Amino acid sequence: MGTETMILIGLALVFGFYMAWNIGANDVANAMGTSVGSGALTLKRAVILAAIMEFAGAFFVGPNVTETVRKGIVDPAVFVNDPTALVLGMIAALLAAGVWLQVASYFGWPVSTTHAIVGAIIGFGAVVGGLEAINWSWHNKGVAFIAASWVVSPLLSGFIAFVIFRLILTGIFYKPDPVAAAKKATPFIVFAVMVTMMLVLAFKGLKPFWQDNFGLKPLDTLPLTVGLSMAFVAGTLGALISHRLVGRIKSGDPVMAEQSRNLYLARALSKAMMHLRRVRDTAVGDTRGRADRALQDTQAIHSELRSRTRIGGDHSAFVQVERIFIYLQIISAGFVAFAHGSNDVANAIGPLATAIETAKAGAIPKIAPIPLWILGLGAVGIVFGLATWGWRVMRTIGERITELTPSRGFCAEFAAALTVLLASVYGLPISTTHTLVGGVLGVGLARGIGALNLNTVRDIVVSWVVTLPAGAGLAIVFFYVLRVIF
């Protein structure tokens, strides 16, 4: 290999690692943000868990091959007569996407790494082949398909999180004895979680494994059969184990029972007060006066019940229930991190492998094999990014959108996993980042619009829309610079 080829390969490796580092700092932090924000995991433990699951997903079941041009966004025929342009373009794309992700991570914006790298590839592809070389269509999963995920991902995940959280509030927290209700519901919740997570693992986390080693699509017979079997066995075992564990939790403590009963009555009286206000405001004459007196009496009882209730401490029924959800949230976060590592590591190593193989061969390979050492490089880069800068995005997801508890964080994580599963089955355009943010928004909305930090939500949405053009613009600049140098 000539000196220029060696330099190009060296640049590709440096910028590939840089891109992987930024994936860890931004994308991986999304999976752990709710766990840290809710207090289910400390930052150190979240980094350790994410490092293990992300590395395992990326190294052991990450993609073995990568398409010449990431996701078919640019027509490969554009580079047939100028393979060096493809090498320079991939290097520029890695650098551009990495720079934008670092900017986003600095401000704590959770953005899609897939959109960043796709935007960068669009940028240099348009420079080399013109706008007609870009796949803009919906049907071939082009730019229009990707843009749709800005809407589909957060809306679908937010709706699912809203419904799940409302069901948990109604079925557990709003019961006269929340601890007893949680003990009854936990095995069913664990079964649903394990089934969903194992299906996510089969259809998304192991998708590269099925495709590269068996040539199968995610819903072909083998993955479907294996996935459903794994899910049912894991769900049943999880339900049985959780039933035995929650059976050890003591309920019926007189202090907790009084608090729960008072809160239950206070909540019911709140609804009665709302209806009494309507009656008072509508009625006239003597009826209005009697309704007003009834409202005042109800308000007095409500205030007395609330004053006798102290939430917090080991005697709080809510604290006991939240402890159960801590473990559920950790399980959910671990599965999401594994699925993310197995798929999104390709955003760094895909362009990297393409650049290296093209530079070595002096021609465009239809399929670029990914050596294990490149998979390892991407996995290590992701872990380093999470450990060094991941806390910035974790703070946004876990603290700045809405206040999270283990139960709320679990609902957001579970909703994101369900959304990923539905998208894998039906081919919907989604982003893992957008689904997690949407889940947090859904949990916040379940408590009312006032529970959301709308300024943070605005900044996040703007960063999503800007990601694609930002990646494209930076890639164009870097591509021209590299063209001048080489």
Side-chain angles (χ1 to χ4, degrees):
M1 288 187 292
T3 303
E4 183 175 300
T5 301
M6 293 293 293
I7 293 174
L8 288 174
I9 291 176
L11 288 175
L13 288 171
V14 171
F15 295 146
F17 184 84
Y18 177 60
M19 175 62 176
W21 182 86
N22 279 291
I23 290 175
N26 198 288
D27 244 20
V28 180
N30 296 325
M32 293 294 150
T34 56
S35 299
V36 175
S38 68
L41 287 173
T42 63
L43 180 61
K44 181 179 179 180
R45 290 177 178 176
V47 169
I48 293 172
L49 175 62
I52 294 171
M53 300 306 291
E54 287 277 343
F55 187 91
F59 188 76
F60 294 109
V61 296
N64 296 323
V65 298
T66 181
E67 298 170 357
T68 302
V69 180
R70 176 76 176 143
K71 291 186 177 293
I73 293 297
V74 180
D75 185 0
V78 171
F79 306 99
V80 169
N81 297 322
D82 190 7
T84 303
L86 178 60
V87 178
L88 296 177
M90 287 299 178
I91 294 174
L94 287 169
L95 178 57
V99 167
W100 169 246
L101 288 173
Q102 186 167 9
V103 170
S105 298
Y106 177 80
F107 289 103
W109 300 333
V111 299
S112 170
T113 56
T114 301
H115 291 185
I117 193 68
V118 167
I121 291 174
I122 289 172
F124 83 80
V127 168
V128 177
L131 294 177
E132 62 274 9
I134 307 300
N135 174 17
W136 300 101
S137 69
W138 168 276
H139 299 292
N140 295 322
K141 295 187 177 181
V143 178
F145 189 84
I146 292 170
S149 71
W150 298 338
V151 178
V152 175
S153 300
L155 285 183
L156 182 57
S157 180
F159 173 76
I160 293 174
F162 180 92
V163 171
I164 293 174
F165 188 53
R166 293 302 304 179
L167 288 174
I168 288 177
L169 286 178
T170 304
I172 296 178
F173 286 98
Y174 288 175
K175 292 293 185 181
D177 189 349
V179 175
K183 290 173 65 175
K184 291 179 181 178
T186 295
F188 298 100
I189 296 174
V190 170
F191 181 84
V193 169
M194 296 304 297
V195 167
T196 300
M197 294 304 170
M198 294 305 292
L199 290 177
V200 169
L201 180 64
F203 296 149
K204 184 172 175 66
L206 295 176
K207 182 170 68 173
F209 179 79
W210 302 130
Q211 292 174 332
D212 296 342
N213 295 284
F214 295 97
L216 297 173
K217 296 179 181 179
L219 291 181
D220 278 342
T221 304
L222 178 60
L224 181 61
T225 304
V226 173
L228 290 174
S229 301
M230 289 167 50
F232 181 79
V233 171
T236 302
L237 286 175
L240 292 174
I241 293 172
S242 66
H243 176 73
R244 187 174 185 84
L245 291 177
V246 297
R248 300 174 181 176
I249 299 175
K250 295 181 180 180
S251 58
D253 181 278
V255 176
M256 287 197 298
E258 182 183 3
Q259 287 185 341
S260 301
R261 183 169 56 253
N262 290 343
L263 281 173
Y264 179 78
L265 294 173
R267 197 172 293 113
L269 287 172
S270 295
K271 296 179 181 179
M273 287 158 53
M274 179 182 66
H275 292 296
L276 283 171
R277 287 192 189 96
R278 292 176 181 172
V279 173
R280 182 197 61 185
D281 295 341
T282 304
V284 294
D286 182 58
T287 304
R288 182 185 181 93
R290 293 169 64 186
D292 187 59
R293 288 191 293 274
L295 176 60
Q296 291 178 17
D297 290 340
T298 306
Q299 288 174 331
I301 299 173
H302 179 268
S303 299
E304 182 182 348
L305 289 172
R306 294 291 297 186
S307 67
R308 296 208 308 253
T309 305
R310 295 288 182 270
I311 303 301
D314 291 337
H315 289 292
S316 171
F318 290 159
V319 170
Q320 294 286 82
V321 174
E322 291 289 359
R323 284 174 179 166
I324 296 173
F325 281 100
I326 286 176
Y327 300 103
L328 294 173
Q329 188 181 6
I330 292 172
I331 292 171
S332 301
F335 273 99
V336 171
F338 183 91
H340 176 271
S342 66
N343 279 266
D344 284 16
V345 69
N347 291 327
I349 64 173
L352 171 60
T354 298
I356 291 176
E357 291 301 315
T358 304
K360 284 181 178 179
I364 302 173
K366 289 185 178 179
I367 295 179
I370 299 181
L372 282 179
W373 67 269
I374 291 184
L375 268 174
L377 181 73
V380 171
I382 285 175
V383 171
F384 269 96
L386 173 68
T388 54
W389 258 39
W391 61 271
R392 294 176 178 270
V393 177
M394 282 188 189
R395 283 188 62 190
T396 298
I397 298 291
E399 300 174 9
R400 293 178 178 171
I401 297 176
T402 190
E403 183 185 357
L404 290 177
T405 60
S407 60
R408 298 168 194 167
F410 160 75
C411 291
E413 289 277 4
F414 189 39
L418 277 174
T419 304
V420 169
L421 178 59
L422 290 172
S424 300
V425 173
Y426 293 105
L428 299 174
I430 65 141
S431 159
T432 305
T433 297
H434 297 181
T435 59
L436 284 162
V437 173
V440 176
L441 288 173
V443 169
L445 281 173
R447 297 163 52 227
I449 191 71
L452 295 176
N453 184 338
L454 297 181
N455 290 330
T456 299
V457 174
R458 178 203 60 207
D459 292 343
I460 290 173
V461 172
V462 170
S463 71
W464 289 352
V465 177
V466 171
T467 294
L468 214 62
L474 288 170
I476 292 172
V477 172
F478 294 140
F479 179 75
Y480 276 123
V481 171
L482 290 171
R483 265 298 199 191
V484 171
I485 296 174
F486 295 95

